[in-house]
Amino acid sequence: MNVTTGTGPRRVQLAPARVDEIRGLVQQLAGRPDPAEAPRLLADARTALADLLTDRDDLVRANAAAGEDLARWTGAIN
């Protein structure tokens, strides 16, 4: 999921449906999953972790950019 802004492509935060899917996966992993499902659950968990880490990195970058913009606007930095 990418959105183009005036400064170039930016990723959009995880959709609420994806967050719900990940929460559901956490619930599945908290129980005693069927051993036959373990490979699929492991693959799903890996994908979920990658999505969450990417989302986190994007949010950190966006927060830093917003902080710099605010500092420029208030005159704290040039």
Coordinates of all heavy atoms in Angstrom, one line a residue:
M1 N 0.8 -1.2 0.0 CA 0.0 0.0 0.0 C 0.9 1.2 0.0 O 1.5 1.5 1.0 CB -0.9 0.0 1.2 CG -1.8 -1.1 1.3 SD -3.0 -1.3 2.7 CE -2.6 0.0 3.8
N2 N 0.9 2.0 -1.1 CA 1.7 3.2 -1.2 C 0.8 4.3 -1.6 O -0.2 4.2 -2.3 CB 2.8 3.0 -2.2 CG 3.9 2.2 -1.7 OD1 4.2 2.2 -0.5 ND2 4.5 1.4 -2.5
V3 N 1.1 5.5 -1.1 CA 0.4 6.7 -1.5 C 1.5 7.7 -1.9 O 2.6 7.7 -1.3 CB -0.3 7.3 -0.3 CG1 -0.9 8.7 -0.6 CG2 -1.4 6.4 0.2
T4 N 1.3 8.4 -3.0 CA 2.3 9.4 -3.4 C 1.9 10.7 -2.9 O 0.8 11.2 -3.0 CB 2.3 9.4 -5.0 OG1 2.6 8.1 -5.4 CG2 3.3 10.4 -5.5
T5 N 2.9 11.4 -2.2 CA 2.7 12.7 -1.7 C 3.6 13.6 -2.5 O 4.3 13.2 -3.4 CB 3.1 12.8 -0.2 OG1 4.4 12.5 -0.1 CG2 2.2 11.8 0.6
G6 N 3.6 14.9 -2.1 CA 4.4 15.8 -2.8 C 5.9 15.6 -2.7 O 6.7 16.0 -3.5
T7 N 6.3 14.8 -1.7 CA 7.7 14.5 -1.4 C 8.1 13.1 -1.9 O 9.2 12.7 -1.7 CB 8.0 14.6 0.1 OG1 7.2 13.7 0.8 CG2 7.8 16.0 0.6
G8 N 7.2 12.4 -2.5 CA 7.6 11.0 -3.0 C 6.7 10.0 -2.4 O 5.8 10.3 -1.6
P9 N 6.9 8.7 -2.8 CA 6.0 7.7 -2.2 C 6.2 7.5 -0.7 O 7.3 7.5 -0.2 CB 6.5 6.4 -3.0 CG 7.7 6.8 -3.7 CD 7.9 8.2 -3.6
R10 N 5.0 7.3 -0.1 CA 5.0 7.0 1.3 C 4.0 5.9 1.5 O 3.0 5.8 0.9 CB 4.5 8.2 2.1 CG 5.6 9.3 2.3 CD 5.5 9.9 3.6 NE 6.6 10.6 3.9 CZ 6.7 11.8 4.4 NH1 5.6 12.4 4.7 NH2 7.8 12.4 4.6
R11 N 4.4 5.0 2.4 CA 3.5 3.9 2.8 C 2.4 4.3 3.7 O 2.7 5.2 4.6 CB 4.4 2.8 3.4 CG 3.8 1.4 3.5 CD 4.7 0.4 4.0 NE 4.1 -0.8 4.3 CZ 3.2 -1.0 5.3 NH1 3.0 -0.1 6.1 NH2 2.7 -2.2 5.4
V12 N 1.3 3.7 3.6 CA 0.2 4.0 4.5 C 0.2 3.0 5.6 O 0.6 1.8 5.4 CB -1.1 3.9 3.7 CG1 -2.3 4.1 4.6 CG2 -1.2 4.9 2.5
Q13 N -0.2 3.4 6.8 CA -0.2 2.5 7.9 C -1.1 1.3 7.6 O -1.9 1.3 6.8 CB -0.7 3.2 9.2 CG -2.2 3.5 9.2 CD -2.5 4.3 10.5 OE1 -1.8 5.1 10.9 NE2 -3.7 4.0 11.0
L14 N -0.8 0.2 8.4 CA -1.6 -1.0 8.2 C -3.1 -0.7 8.3 O -3.6 0.0 9.2 CB -1.2 -2.0 9.3 CG 0.1 -2.7 9.2 CD1 0.3 -3.6 10.5 CD2 0.2 -3.5 8.0
A15 N -3.8 -1.4 7.4 CA -5.3 -1.2 7.4 C -5.8 -1.9 8.7 O -5.3 -2.9 9.2 CB -5.9 -1.9 6.2
P16 N -6.9 -1.4 9.2 CA -7.6 -2.0 10.4 C -7.9 -3.5 10.2 O -7.7 -4.2 11.2 CB -8.8 -1.1 10.6 CG -8.5 0.2 10.0 CD -7.6 -0.1 8.8
A17 N -8.2 -3.9 9.0 CA -8.5 -5.3 8.8 C -7.3 -6.1 9.0 O -7.3 -7.2 9.5 CB -9.1 -5.5 7.4
R18 N -6.1 -5.6 8.5 CA -4.9 -6.4 8.7 C -4.5 -6.4 10.2 O -4.0 -7.5 10.6 CB -3.7 -5.7 7.9 CG -2.4 -6.4 8.0 CD -2.5 -7.8 7.5 NE -1.1 -8.5 7.5 CZ -0.9 -9.7 7.9 NH1 -1.9 -10.5 8.2 NH2 0.3 -10.2 8.0
V19 N -4.7 -5.4 10.9 CA -4.4 -5.4 12.3 C -5.3 -6.4 13.0 O -4.8 -7.2 13.9 CB -4.6 -4.0 13.0 CG1 -4.4 -4.0 14.5 CG2 -3.6 -3.0 12.3
D20 N -6.5 -6.5 12.6 CA -7.4 -7.5 13.2 C -7.0 -8.9 12.8 O -7.0 -9.8 13.7 CB -8.9 -7.3 12.7 CG -9.5 -6.1 13.3 OD1 -9.1 -5.6 14.3 OD2 -10.6 -5.6 12.7
E21 N -6.5 -9.1 11.6 CA -6.0 -10.4 11.2 C -4.8 -10.8 12.1 O -4.7 -12.0 12.5 CB -5.5 -10.4 9.8 CG -6.6 -10.4 8.7 CD -6.1 -10.2 7.3 OE1 -4.8 -10.2 7.1 OE2 -6.9 -10.0 6.4
I22 N -3.9 -9.9 12.4 CA -2.7 -10.1 13.2 C -3.1 -10.4 14.6 O -2.6 -11.3 15.2 CB -1.7 -8.9 13.1 CG1 -1.1 -8.9 11.7 CG2 -0.6 -9.1 14.1 CD1 -0.3 -7.6 11.4
R23 N -4.1 -9.7 15.1 CA -4.6 -10.0 16.5 C -5.2 -11.4 16.5 O -5.0 -12.1 17.5 CB -5.6 -8.9 16.9 CG -5.0 -7.6 17.3 CD -5.9 -6.7 17.9 NE -5.2 -5.5 18.4 CZ -5.4 -4.3 18.0 NH1 -6.4 -4.0 17.1 NH2 -4.7 -3.3 18.5
G24 N -5.9 -11.8 15.5 CA -6.4 -13.1 15.4 C -5.3 -14.2 15.4 O -5.5 -15.2 16.0
L25 N -4.3 -13.9 14.7 CA -3.1 -14.8 14.7 C -2.5 -14.9 16.0 O -2.1 -16.0 16.5 CB -2.1 -14.3 13.6 CG -0.8 -15.1 13.5 CD1 -1.1 -16.5 13.1 CD2 0.1 -14.4 12.5
V26 N -2.4 -13.8 16.8 CA -1.9 -13.9 18.1 C -2.7 -14.8 19.0 O -2.2 -15.6 19.8 CB -1.8 -12.5 18.8 CG1 -1.5 -12.6 20.3 CG2 -0.7 -11.7 18.0
Q27 N -4.1 -14.7 18.8 CA -5.0 -15.6 19.6 C -4.7 -17.1 19.2 O -4.7 -18.0 20.1 CB -6.4 -15.2 19.3 CG -6.8 -13.9 19.9 CD -6.7 -13.9 21.4 OE1 -7.0 -14.9 22.1 NE2 -6.2 -12.8 22.0
Q28 N -4.5 -17.4 17.9 CA -4.3 -18.7 17.5 C -3.0 -19.2 18.1 O -2.9 -20.4 18.5 CB -4.2 -18.8 15.9 CG -5.5 -18.7 15.2 CD -5.3 -18.8 13.7 OE1 -4.7 -17.9 13.1 NE2 -5.7 -19.9 13.2
L29 N -2.0 -18.4 18.1 CA -0.7 -18.8 18.6 C -0.7 -19.0 20.1 O 0.1 -19.8 20.7 CB 0.4 -17.8 18.2 CG 0.7 -17.8 16.7 CD1 1.6 -16.6 16.4 CD2 1.4 -19.0 16.2
A30 N -1.6 -18.3 20.8 CA -1.7 -18.4 22.3 C -2.3 -19.7 22.7 O -2.0 -20.2 23.8 CB -2.5 -17.2 22.8
G31 N -3.1 -20.3 21.9 CA -3.7 -21.6 22.2 C -2.7 -22.7 21.8 O -1.5 -22.6 21.7
R32 N -3.3 -23.9 21.7 CA -2.5 -25.1 21.3 C -2.9 -25.4 19.9 O -3.7 -26.2 19.6 CB -2.7 -26.2 22.2 CG -2.2 -26.0 23.6 CD -2.2 -27.2 24.4 NE -1.3 -27.0 25.5 CZ -0.3 -27.8 25.8 NH1 -0.1 -28.9 25.2 NH2 0.4 -27.6 26.9
P33 N -2.2 -24.8 18.9 CA -2.5 -25.1 17.5 C -2.2 -26.5 17.1 O -1.3 -27.2 17.7 CB -1.7 -24.1 16.7 CG -0.7 -23.6 17.6 CD -1.1 -23.8 19.0
D34 N -2.9 -27.0 16.2 CA -2.7 -28.4 15.6 C -1.3 -28.4 15.0 O -0.9 -27.5 14.3 CB -3.8 -28.6 14.6 CG -3.7 -30.0 13.9 OD1 -2.6 -30.6 14.1 OD2 -4.6 -30.4 13.3
P35 N -0.5 -29.4 15.4 CA 0.9 -29.4 14.8 C 0.9 -29.4 13.3 O 1.8 -28.9 12.7 CB 1.4 -30.8 15.4 CG 0.6 -31.0 16.6 CD -0.7 -30.4 16.4
A36 N -0.2 -29.9 12.7 CA -0.2 -29.9 11.2 C -0.3 -28.4 10.7 O 0.1 -28.2 9.5 CB -1.4 -30.7 10.7
E37 N -0.9 -27.5 11.5 CA -1.0 -26.1 11.1 C 0.2 -25.3 11.4 O 0.3 -24.1 11.0 CB -2.2 -25.5 11.8 CG -3.6 -26.0 11.3 CD -4.7 -25.3 12.0 OE1 -4.6 -24.1 12.3 OE2 -5.7 -25.9 12.2
A38 N 1.2 -25.9 12.1 CA 2.3 -25.1 12.6 C 3.1 -24.4 11.4 O 3.4 -23.2 11.5 CB 3.3 -26.0 13.4
P39 N 3.4 -25.1 10.3 CA 4.1 -24.4 9.2 C 3.4 -23.2 8.7 O 3.9 -22.2 8.4 CB 4.3 -25.5 8.2 CG 4.2 -26.8 8.9 CD 3.2 -26.5 10.0
R40 N 2.0 -23.3 8.5 CA 1.2 -22.2 8.0 C 1.2 -21.1 9.0 O 1.4 -19.9 8.7 CB -0.2 -22.7 7.7 CG -1.0 -21.5 7.1 CD -2.5 -21.9 7.1 NE -3.1 -22.2 8.3 CZ -3.5 -21.3 9.3 NH1 -3.4 -20.1 9.1 NH2 -4.1 -21.8 10.4
L41 N 1.0 -21.4 10.3 CA 1.0 -20.4 11.4 C 2.4 -19.7 11.5 O 2.4 -18.5 11.7 CB 0.6 -21.0 12.7 CG -0.8 -21.4 12.9 CD1 -1.1 -22.1 14.2 CD2 -1.7 -20.2 12.8
L42 N 3.4 -20.4 11.3 CA 4.8 -19.8 11.4 C 5.0 -18.9 10.2 O 5.5 -17.8 10.4 CB 5.8 -20.9 11.4 CG 7.3 -20.5 11.5 CD1 7.5 -19.7 12.8 CD2 8.2 -21.7 11.5
A43 N 4.5 -19.3 9.0 CA 4.7 -18.4 7.9 C 3.8 -17.2 8.0 O 4.2 -16.0 7.7 CB 4.3 -19.2 6.6
D44 N 2.6 -17.3 8.6 CA 1.7 -16.2 8.8 C 2.3 -15.3 9.9 O 2.2 -14.0 9.7 CB 0.3 -16.7 9.3 CG -0.5 -17.3 8.1 OD1 -0.1 -17.2 7.0 OD2 -1.5 -17.9 8.5
A45 N 2.9 -15.8 10.9 CA 3.5 -15.0 12.0 C 4.7 -14.2 11.4 O 4.9 -13.1 11.8 CB 3.9 -15.9 13.1
R46 N 5.5 -14.9 10.6 CA 6.6 -14.2 10.0 C 6.2 -13.0 9.1 O 6.7 -11.9 9.2 CB 7.5 -15.1 9.1 CG 8.7 -14.5 8.6 CD 9.3 -15.2 7.4 NE 10.4 -14.5 6.8 CZ 10.2 -13.4 6.1 NH1 9.1 -12.8 5.8 NH2 11.3 -12.8 5.6
T47 N 5.1 -13.2 8.3 CA 4.6 -12.2 7.5 C 4.0 -11.0 8.3 O 4.2 -9.8 8.1 CB 3.5 -12.7 6.5 OG1 4.1 -13.7 5.7 CG2 2.9 -11.6 5.7
A48 N 3.3 -11.4 9.4 CA 2.8 -10.4 10.3 C 3.9 -9.6 11.0 O 3.8 -8.3 11.1 CB 1.9 -11.1 11.4
L49 N 4.9 -10.2 11.4 CA 6.0 -9.5 12.0 C 6.7 -8.5 11.0 O 7.0 -7.4 11.4 CB 7.1 -10.5 12.6 CG 6.7 -11.2 13.9 CD1 7.8 -12.3 14.2 CD2 6.7 -10.2 15.0
A50 N 6.9 -9.0 9.8 CA 7.4 -8.1 8.8 C 6.5 -6.9 8.5 O 7.0 -5.8 8.4 CB 7.7 -8.9 7.5
D51 N 5.2 -7.2 8.4 CA 4.3 -6.1 8.2 C 4.3 -5.1 9.4 O 4.4 -3.8 9.2 CB 2.8 -6.6 8.1 CG 2.6 -7.3 6.8 OD1 3.4 -7.2 5.9 OD2 1.5 -7.9 6.7
L52 N 4.4 -5.6 10.6 CA 4.4 -4.7 11.8 C 5.7 -3.9 11.9 O 5.7 -2.7 12.2 CB 4.2 -5.5 13.1 CG 2.8 -6.1 13.3 CD1 2.8 -7.1 14.4 CD2 1.8 -4.9 13.5
L53 N 6.8 -4.6 11.6 CA 8.1 -3.8 11.6 C 8.2 -2.8 10.5 O 8.7 -1.7 10.7 CB 9.3 -4.8 11.5 CG 9.5 -5.7 12.7 CD1 10.5 -6.8 12.4 CD2 9.9 -4.9 13.9
T54 N 7.7 -3.1 9.3 CA 7.6 -2.1 8.2 C 6.8 -0.9 8.6 O 7.1 0.2 8.4 CB 7.1 -2.7 6.9 OG1 8.0 -3.8 6.6 CG2 7.0 -1.7 5.8
D55 N 5.6 -1.2 9.2 CA 4.7 -0.2 9.7 C 5.4 0.7 10.7 O 5.3 1.9 10.7 CB 3.4 -0.8 10.2 CG 2.3 0.2 10.4 OD1 1.9 0.9 9.4 OD2 1.7 0.3 11.5
R56 N 6.0 0.1 11.7 CA 6.7 0.8 12.7 C 7.8 1.7 12.1 O 7.9 2.9 12.5 CB 7.3 -0.2 13.7 CG 8.0 0.5 14.9 CD 9.5 0.0 15.0 NE 10.2 0.6 16.0 CZ 11.2 1.4 15.8 NH1 11.7 1.6 14.6 NH2 11.8 2.0 16.8
D57 N 8.6 1.2 11.2 CA 9.7 2.0 10.6 C 9.1 3.2 9.9 O 9.6 4.3 9.9 CB 10.5 1.1 9.6 CG 11.3 0.1 10.4 OD1 11.5 0.2 11.6 OD2 11.8 -0.8 9.7
D58 N 8.0 3.0 9.2 CA 7.3 4.0 8.4 C 6.8 5.1 9.4 O 6.9 6.3 9.1 CB 6.2 3.5 7.6 CG 6.6 2.7 6.4 OD1 7.8 2.8 6.0 OD2 5.8 1.9 5.9
L59 N 6.2 4.7 10.5 CA 5.7 5.6 11.5 C 6.8 6.4 12.2 O 6.7 7.6 12.4 CB 4.9 4.9 12.6 CG 3.5 4.3 12.1 CD1 2.9 3.4 13.2 CD2 2.6 5.5 11.7
V60 N 8.0 5.8 12.4 CA 9.1 6.5 13.0 C 9.6 7.5 12.0 O 9.9 8.7 12.4 CB 10.2 5.5 13.4 CG1 11.5 6.2 13.7 CG2 9.8 4.6 14.6
R61 N 9.7 7.2 10.8 CA 10.2 8.2 9.8 C 9.2 9.3 9.6 O 9.6 10.5 9.6 CB 10.4 7.5 8.4 CG 11.7 6.7 8.3 CD 12.0 6.3 6.8 NE 11.0 5.3 6.4 CZ 11.2 4.0 6.6 NH1 12.3 3.6 7.2 NH2 10.3 3.1 6.1
A62 N 7.9 9.0 9.6 CA 6.9 10.0 9.5 C 6.9 10.9 10.7 O 6.7 12.1 10.6 CB 5.5 9.4 9.3
N63 N 7.1 10.4 11.9 CA 7.1 11.2 13.1 C 8.3 12.1 13.1 O 8.2 13.3 13.4 CB 7.2 10.2 14.3 CG 7.0 11.0 15.6 OD1 6.1 11.8 15.7 ND2 7.9 10.7 16.6
A64 N 9.5 11.6 12.6 CA 10.7 12.4 12.5 C 10.5 13.5 11.6 O 10.9 14.7 11.8 CB 11.9 11.6 12.2
A65 N 9.9 13.2 10.4 CA 9.6 14.3 9.4 C 8.7 15.3 9.9 O 8.9 16.5 9.7 CB 9.1 13.6 8.1
A66 N 7.6 14.9 10.6 CA 6.7 15.8 11.2 C 7.3 16.7 12.3 O 7.1 17.9 12.4 CB 5.5 15.1 11.8
G67 N 8.2 16.1 13.1 CA 8.9 16.9 14.1 C 9.8 17.9 13.4 O 9.9 19.1 13.9
E68 N 10.5 17.5 12.4 CA 11.4 18.5 11.6 C 10.5 19.6 11.0 O 10.9 20.8 11.1 CB 12.2 17.8 10.6 CG 13.3 17.0 11.1 CD 14.1 16.3 10.0 OE1 14.0 16.7 8.8 OE2 14.8 15.3 10.3
D69 N 9.4 19.3 10.4 CA 8.5 20.3 9.9 C 8.0 21.2 10.9 O 8.0 22.5 10.7 CB 7.3 19.6 9.2 CG 7.7 18.9 7.9 OD1 8.8 19.1 7.4 OD2 6.9 18.1 7.4
L70 N 7.6 20.7 12.1 CA 7.2 21.5 13.2 C 8.3 22.4 13.7 O 8.1 23.6 13.9 CB 6.6 20.7 14.3 CG 6.1 21.4 15.5 CD1 5.0 22.3 15.1 CD2 5.7 20.4 16.6
A71 N 9.5 21.9 13.8 CA 10.6 22.7 14.3 C 10.9 23.8 13.3 O 11.2 24.9 13.7 CB 11.9 21.8 14.5
R72 N 10.8 23.5 12.0 CA 11.1 24.6 11.0 C 10.0 25.6 11.1 O 10.2 26.8 11.0 CB 11.1 24.0 9.6 CG 12.4 23.4 9.2 CD 12.5 23.1 7.7 NE 13.6 22.1 7.5 CZ 13.5 20.8 7.5 NH1 12.3 20.2 7.7 NH2 14.6 20.0 7.4
W73 N 8.7 25.2 11.2 CA 7.6 26.1 11.3 C 7.7 27.0 12.5 O 7.4 28.2 12.4 CB 6.3 25.3 11.3 CG 5.1 26.1 11.3 CD1 4.6 26.9 10.3 CD2 4.2 26.3 12.4 NE1 3.4 27.5 10.7 CE2 3.1 27.1 12.0 CE3 4.1 25.8 13.7 CZ2 2.1 27.5 12.8 CZ3 3.0 26.2 14.5 CH2 2.0 27.0 14.0
T74 N 8.2 26.5 13.6 CA 8.3 27.3 14.8 C 9.6 28.1 14.9 O 9.8 28.9 15.8 CB 8.2 26.4 16.1 OG1 9.3 25.5 16.1 CG2 6.9 25.7 16.2
G75 N 10.5 27.8 13.9 CA 11.7 28.5 13.9 C 12.8 27.9 14.7 O 13.9 28.5 14.9
A76 N 12.6 26.7 15.3 CA 13.6 26.1 16.1 C 14.8 25.6 15.3 O 15.9 25.6 15.8 CB 13.0 24.9 16.9
I77 N 14.6 25.3 14.1 CA 15.7 24.9 13.1 C 15.4 25.6 11.8 O 14.3 26.0 11.5 CB 15.9 23.4 12.9 CG1 14.6 22.8 12.3 CG2 16.3 22.7 14.2 CD1 14.8 21.3 11.9
N78 N 16.5 25.8 11.1 CA 16.4 26.5 9.8 C 16.4 25.5 8.6 O 17.0 24.6 8.6 CB 17.5 27.5 9.6 CG 17.3 28.7 10.6 OD1 16.2 29.0 10.9 ND2 18.4 29.2 11.2

